[in-house]
Amino acid sequence: MKKEIQEKQDNIVEQETINKSVTHTEQHPIAPEKQQEISALLTLCELVEKANQNENRFEAEKKVRTAQETWNTTGTLVPEEKKKLSLRFKDACTFFFKTQSEFKENLEWERWANFNRKTELCEVVEALIRALENNEPIQENISSILRDVQAKWKEIGPVSKDKSEEIWNRFKQACDHAYEICLRKKQAIFDQAKQLTLMSEDWETNAQKIKEIQNEWNKIGYLPATMEKDIKDAFQLICDQFFEARRNYYKKLDTERIKNLQHKKDLCEQVEQIEHSTDYEKTANILKELQNTWKEIGPIPKKEGDELWMRFRSACNRFFKKFESYKLENLKKKESLCESAEKAFQSIQGEDDIEKMSHVFVSLQKEWKEIGPVPIEVSESVWQRFHNQCESYFSLRKDFESRHQETHEQNLSVKEKLVHEIEALIQKEDWKAGAERIKQIQDEWKLIGHVPSTIERELNSQLKRLCNQFFKRRKRFFDQKDQERKTNLEQKEELCLRLEILAKLVFKSPDIRENQRIPMAKQLEIALAYKDEIVVEGDKKKTWNNAMKKFRTIQKQWKEIGPVPRDYDDMVWKRYRKLSDQFLSDRSFSYDDIESSKKKEMHG
């Protein structure tokens, strides 16, 4: 790693020297033809260096190859400058084709994975076909399943060209077959609906049968319009005809009056259930809504009308009679608060009392708001009595505060500094020290005197909000750290699994642990992929070399992963270390084995 870094630094120094040299040359007058060729060489270098930024990798490769051809025929008039820029151009080309090779390799793996995913979708549709042909019960909407599978197919990228047509034909044929089966089932349902006697007097029985038929139809779901349009319209028509005839029959009956009767009985029951409620204001609003609903309901049979109205009205009256008593109790409570406010104001003798009485009047106002309504005829007078007394106190306090404004302003300045300090602590995200300091600030805050009353409540709310914000962000930070460690654990366990699979392939080791966090399908996929990549039948040397390359890659990936939850750290490290030691200390592939293999290859 240090060697690679040193080489990159040397190349940078060397390239800067070349660029300075070319720039120096440009500072002296030279022939326009030479200047043009120097510019062309620099342009080619920049084109290749920027090629990796092109999202269309194949188009970029064409441009780089064209640039290589152009390079060979450019610069004949400035051989010295071309020689200086050659290393830059060559390095840029080498780097591009290295990344291009990796891109193509990744593309092949992606297309291989896409083929497997598309194969799975084919199998889903084929399994659905088998279930349909065997008349097995299917809980989900059939066409929804097919549309979902088709949507997933569209989301999957391309596969290799030699398999693209084959897998598409398989999928299309399966989907077409499934839709054909669904269409046959809908035809059978349609035939069944036609056999019903739509004008029969047994409307309820036939209606139930039609609904069951419609449910069966809906379970299949929508088919492509080109397949089912005619049968869909015909099915809808016979269903509509049936229910239209049924509606005409029931229009002859007095169903609406019966419905209204039941509705009003329900309203009576609702009123009787809540008439004893002590949540008076909420219940009063509900009853008023029920009364409006009663008025909106149409007529009911006359023989039951008067009796039902008396039942509804009496239940409402019983509640509102208690509600009036409740208002009288509230009036007594509010008159008591008026007396308390008057006594509190009369007890003020000096400036010290003004400050002490502040919480008394605030508490009285809070109590007033918590008391419900009073009789409407005295509501305004009792409110004015209480309001005037409170107004007198707060006017007195305002005068007091104006005389002590300087002290209050100093207190305000101190509190504002503490607020700014909390805001800074939130941005620093030093959660441990910050939490300790915020607790100190909360204690200091309590010892500071009053601030101007106009902003005191707002300032206290701001302190509370900022403290809550700090502790919420601290919690979110540590929650995120825990999630990162869990993710690291899953990644390290997967690397251990890969080492176990690698060891099983190379050393024939049977020890592969159970991996609950890694699906069995993925474990199998890794094992099959490693077998194809690592094992070379009859050649231990190549198998070993392939395995060690993969082992080094896993080592590098392990070092790049961060810490895991503390409870799992020792366990997963010992598991990884045990497997690593097996590769680093194994002598199954000795030098003699390798030399023997070479001789066999030389002598055929």
Side-chain angles (χ1 to χ4, degrees):
M1 180 62 73
K2 292 182 179 179
K3 183 178 179 182
E4 292 177 359
I5 295 172
Q6 187 60 44
E7 288 177 354
K8 290 181 179 178
Q9 293 175 345
D10 293 341
N11 289 340
I12 292 171
V13 173
E14 183 178 353
Q15 190 57 55
E16 290 177 351
T17 304
I18 292 171
N19 291 340
K20 289 178 181 179
S21 176
V22 174
T23 305
H24 179 72
T25 302
E26 293 175 353
Q27 293 173 353
H28 293 78
I30 60 175
E33 296 83 2
K34 291 184 178 182
Q35 182 61 49
Q36 186 175 2
E37 289 208 345
I38 291 173
S39 298
L41 292 171
L42 289 170
T43 300
L44 290 173
C45 289
E46 292 173 356
L47 185 147
V48 177
E49 288 167 346
K50 294 179 180 179
N52 276 316
Q53 300 174 8
N54 193 338
E55 294 182 358
N56 189 333
R57 299 292 304 190
F58 294 103
E59 178 184 343
E61 183 175 351
K62 290 180 181 179
K63 290 183 179 180
V64 172
R65 294 194 183 279
T66 302
Q68 287 179 318
E69 294 173 2
T70 306
W71 180 274
N72 294 332
T73 60
T74 305
T76 55
L77 297 178
V78 286
E80 291 297 324
E81 284 75 11
K82 181 175 182 178
K83 182 178 179 180
K84 293 175 182 178
L85 291 169
S86 293
L87 179 59
R88 175 182 173 184
F89 184 80
K90 182 179 178 181
D91 287 347
C93 292
T94 301
F95 179 72
F96 172 81
F97 285 110
K98 179 182 177 182
T99 57
Q100 185 72 349
S101 176
E102 294 172 352
F103 165 76
K104 289 180 178 180
E105 182 180 352
N106 292 336
L107 186 60
E108 286 300 316
W109 277 106
E110 182 179 348
R111 288 179 173 175
W112 174 81
N114 290 341
F115 178 79
N116 287 339
R117 292 172 65 190
K118 288 189 174 183
T119 300
E120 291 176 356
L121 294 181
C122 290
E123 293 171 352
V124 170
V125 179
E126 289 163 354
L128 179 62
I129 290 172
R130 290 192 296 272
L132 290 171
E133 290 177 339
N134 296 329
N135 292 320
E136 296 176 5
I138 299 175
Q139 299 299 325
E140 299 180 51
N141 185 289
I142 298 171
S143 63
S144 295
I145 297 173
L146 290 171
R147 287 197 298 273
D148 182 60
V149 170
Q150 289 171 330
K152 289 179 179 177
W153 180 279
K154 292 178 181 179
E155 294 173 356
I156 299 172
V159 302
S160 57
K161 290 183 179 180
D162 58 331
K163 296 181 179 180
S164 178
E165 184 176 358
E166 172 193 348
I167 193 65
W168 165 246
N169 288 337
R170 178 182 174 186
F171 181 74
K172 185 177 184 303
Q173 290 172 5
C175 290
D176 290 345
H177 190 189
Y179 279 126
E180 290 170 1
I181 296 174
C182 290
L183 182 60
R184 291 199 300 268
K185 287 183 175 292
K186 282 199 169 185
Q187 183 64 55
I189 292 172
F190 174 75
D191 294 338
Q192 184 181 357
K194 284 177 63 176
Q195 295 173 3
L196 289 174
T197 306
L198 296 179
M199 299 309 296
S200 170
E201 292 296 321
D202 193 359
W203 294 104
E204 292 304 319
T205 301
N206 285 347
Q208 184 61 34
K209 289 181 180 179
I210 288 290
K211 291 177 182 178
E212 291 172 358
I213 288 173
Q214 287 176 323
N215 288 336
E216 290 299 319
W217 181 280
N218 292 334
K219 283 181 181 179
I220 298 174
Y222 295 106
L223 305 182
T226 54
M227 295 182 66
E228 73 161 356
K229 184 178 186 306
D230 293 337
I231 189 174
K232 176 185 175 183
D233 293 343
F235 179 77
Q236 184 67 44
L237 179 61
I238 63 172
C239 290
D240 290 345
Q241 288 175 342
F242 169 81
F243 286 108
E244 180 63 22
R246 180 171 176 263
R247 280 192 295 272
N248 291 335
Y249 171 78
Y250 279 110
K251 282 180 181 179
K252 300 175 183 178
L253 304 178
D254 194 11
T255 54
E256 197 60 36
R257 289 180 177 272
I258 296 174
K259 180 181 178 182
N260 294 340
L261 174 62
Q262 184 59 47
H263 195 174
K264 287 192 173 183
K265 285 182 177 179
D266 291 341
L267 291 182
C268 288
E269 292 177 359
Q270 291 180 48
V271 173
E272 289 167 350
Q273 287 175 359
I274 63 175
E275 66 170 296
H276 301 294
S277 171
T278 56
D279 189 353
Y280 292 103
E281 292 182 73
K282 180 180 178 181
T283 306
N285 291 331
I286 294 174
L287 287 180
K288 289 175 183 178
E289 291 178 2
L290 294 177
Q291 286 174 333
N292 291 332
T293 303
W294 180 281
K295 295 175 183 179
E296 294 170 358
I297 298 173
I300 62 175
K302 291 183 179 181
K303 62 179 181 179
E304 300 188 57
D306 293 340
E307 179 182 353
L308 202 62
W309 164 242
M310 288 301 299
R311 176 184 173 188
F312 179 78
R313 182 181 176 183
S314 298
C316 291
N317 289 342
R318 286 193 294 270
F319 168 79
F320 284 110
K321 184 177 179 180
K322 289 192 299 180
F323 189 26
E324 289 302 318
S325 299
Y326 168 71
K327 290 180 180 180
L328 291 174
E329 292 177 3
N330 291 339
L331 176 60
K332 293 179 181 179
K333 293 178 181 178
K334 288 190 174 182
E335 287 176 340
S336 176
L337 290 181
C338 290
E339 293 174 1
S340 298
E342 291 164 354
K343 290 179 181 178
F345 185 77
Q346 293 171 3
S347 67
I348 297 175
Q349 301 296 326
E351 291 186 345
D352 292 342
D353 294 334
I354 295 176
E355 284 289 346
K356 293 177 182 178
M357 284 299 165
S358 176
H359 75 279
V360 173
F361 278 90
V362 171
S363 177
L364 289 173
Q365 288 178 323
K366 183 179 178 182
E367 286 184 54
W368 182 278
K369 293 177 182 179
E370 292 173 352
I371 299 173
V374 300
I376 191 169
E377 62 272 13
V378 295
S379 177
E380 181 62 23
S381 61
V382 74
W383 159 245
Q384 286 298 332
R385 178 184 175 188
F386 180 76
H387 174 71
N388 291 340
Q389 198 63 63
C390 292
E391 191 70 18
S392 298
Y393 165 74
F394 285 109
S395 176
L396 186 65
R397 179 179 171 180
K398 184 177 180 180
D399 294 338
F400 167 78
E401 286 181 342
S402 64
R403 294 193 302 273
H404 296 79
Q405 184 175 0
E406 183 177 352
T407 302
H408 289 175
E409 291 293 340
Q410 291 175 354
N411 294 340
L412 174 62
S413 177
V414 174
K415 288 191 173 184
E416 286 179 339
K417 287 180 181 179
L418 294 179
V419 166
H420 293 324
E421 184 177 352
I422 295 177
E423 291 175 338
L425 289 172
I426 293 174
Q427 298 302 322
K428 288 181 180 179
E429 298 186 350
D430 184 356
W431 305 115
K432 182 177 180 181
E436 294 177 356
R437 178 55 187 150
I438 284 179
K439 292 177 182 178
Q440 293 174 356
I441 289 173
Q442 290 172 331
D443 293 337
E444 293 173 14
W445 187 280
K446 297 175 183 178
L447 301 176
I448 300 171
H450 290 280
V451 300
S453 59
T454 54
I455 61 170
E456 184 172 17
R457 183 177 300 178
E458 179 183 349
L459 201 61
N460 289 334
S461 298
Q462 187 178 9
L463 172 74
K464 183 178 180 181
R465 177 177 56 79
L466 289 173
C467 291
N468 290 340
Q469 182 181 352
F470 174 87
F471 288 109
K472 284 181 180 179
R473 291 188 63 184
R474 184 181 73 159
K475 182 179 184 301
R476 188 161 54 246
F477 172 81
F478 286 109
D479 288 345
Q480 183 178 356
K481 283 292 184 184
D482 291 342
Q483 185 57 45
E484 289 176 359
R485 289 175 179 266
K486 290 178 182 178
T487 302
N488 293 341
L489 174 61
E490 293 174 0
Q491 294 175 351
K492 286 191 173 183
E493 286 190 337
E494 181 176 333
L495 291 181
C496 289
L497 170 66
R498 290 178 180 272
L499 283 177
E500 289 169 351
I501 293 173
L502 200 60
K504 185 172 182 64
L505 292 173
V506 176
F507 306 122
K508 308 301 180 183
S509 170
D511 184 19
I512 295 182
R513 298 179 56 176
E514 180 180 355
N515 296 271
Q516 295 180 350
R517 294 180 181 85
I518 305 175
M520 185 57 67
K522 186 173 183 180
Q523 296 183 41
L524 180 60
E525 179 183 342
I526 295 171
L528 293 176
Y530 273 22
K531 182 177 180 182
D532 292 340
E533 293 178 42
I534 305 302
V535 178
V536 180
E537 295 294 340
D539 194 329
K540 284 186 174 182
K541 178 186 174 185
K542 289 183 178 179
T543 298
W544 175 255
N545 289 338
N546 291 340
M548 288 304 294
K549 287 180 182 178
K550 188 64 67 174
F551 171 69
R552 297 301 180 191
T553 300
I554 292 173
Q555 276 187 318
K556 182 180 178 182
Q557 292 172 341
W558 180 277
K559 293 176 182 178
E560 294 172 351
I561 300 173
V564 303
R566 191 171 298 174
D567 294 342
Y568 295 90
D569 186 46
D570 188 57
M571 176 193 70
V572 75
W573 166 247
K574 287 181 179 180
R575 181 181 175 190
Y576 169 77
R577 190 64 193 171
K578 177 182 177 182
L579 292 163
S580 298
D581 290 345
Q582 187 175 3
F583 278 93
L584 296 173
S585 63
D586 189 88
R587 296 294 181 268
S588 300
F589 297 85
S590 66
Y591 179 78
D592 293 337
D593 291 337
I594 296 172
E595 290 299 316
S596 175
S597 176
K598 286 182 178 179
K599 290 179 181 179
K600 288 181 180 179
E601 291 177 359
M602 291 173 61
H603 295 291

